[in-house]
Amino acid sequence: MSRKKRQDTIAVKGFFHLQIVDKKTRKIVGDSGLQENVITNYGLNNCIVAAPIGAASVQAAGMMLGSGTNPASTAIALPLSNTNYYKTFAYSSVIASLTARMSQSFDGTLGAATLANIGVFAVSTGSIIAGKTFASSALSTDQDVNCTYELRYTTS
């Protein structure tokens, strides 16, 4: 008689939600909706795989916006990133026991820009952990960008 082997699995998916808001009216003028992203090989290897043994593990530090394309799974940088729109997280916490949430707001007075992608970056190396494109939007100096990023872990 054969026995079925139990297979335990763990999965991680990244999601972001970005909104452009008018400074005066606080009206939402652009909304990406909840979007699944690409977790890079760097992110998987150095944030998830290496963390339990402390081998070259890194922590997420901040978000950056850019005007480029999707980062490839092998990327270490966000395509056409805008360094004016990099900030360390305003808020980061573990919620719902298997979800890490990070959030940040960007002030449009940093300069008008075309935005089309977002990324989460590591503390020590500045390499991209995860990122994704969204519908291109023009940000003006009288607008803000509010972003939330989540890494969701599941087990079975």
Side-chain angles (χ1 to χ4, degrees):
M1 172 170 28
S2 69
R3 296 174 90 188
K4 273 189 160 181
K5 287 186 178 182
R6 180 177 172 206
Q7 292 184 334
D8 292 330
T9 59
I10 185 167
V12 62
K13 290 185 178 185
F15 296 89
F16 75 91
H17 188 190
L18 181 140
Q19 293 180 326
I20 298 175
V21 179
D22 183 277
K23 285 179 185 268
K24 289 181 184 174
T25 65
R26 303 310 301 161
K27 180 182 174 190
I28 297 169
V29 296
D31 191 332
S32 70
L34 190 64
Q35 300 285 322
E36 189 172 349
N37 71 10
V38 173
I39 298 176
T40 64
N41 293 344
Y42 175 85
L44 287 171
N45 290 334
N46 294 290
C47 295
I48 298 163
V49 176
I53 60 171
S57 63
V58 297
Q59 294 176 327
M63 290 183 210
M64 187 180 303
L65 302 173
S67 59
T69 58
N70 247 351
S73 61
T74 57
I76 58 170
L78 185 68
L80 295 176
S81 58
N82 184 334
T83 56
N84 287 337
Y85 285 96
Y86 172 83
K87 277 190 174 179
T88 56
F89 303 131
Y91 166 85
S92 60
S93 182
V94 174
I95 62 167
S97 78
L98 292 174
T99 300
R101 178 179 287 164
M102 303 140 280
S103 63
Q104 186 51 267
S105 291
F106 296 92
D107 187 339
T109 59
L110 295 171
T114 298
L115 304 177
N117 60 5
I118 184 172
V120 171
F121 289 82
V123 171
S124 57
T125 62
S127 295
I128 189 168
I129 294 169
K132 180 74 172 164
T133 58
F134 51 89
S136 179
S137 297
L139 179 69
S140 64
T141 58
D142 61 349
Q143 296 172 329
D144 291 328
V145 179
N146 299 322
C147 309
T148 300
Y149 217 100
E150 292 184 350
L151 293 173
R152 298 178 185 173
Y153 299 85
T154 56
T155 60
S156 62

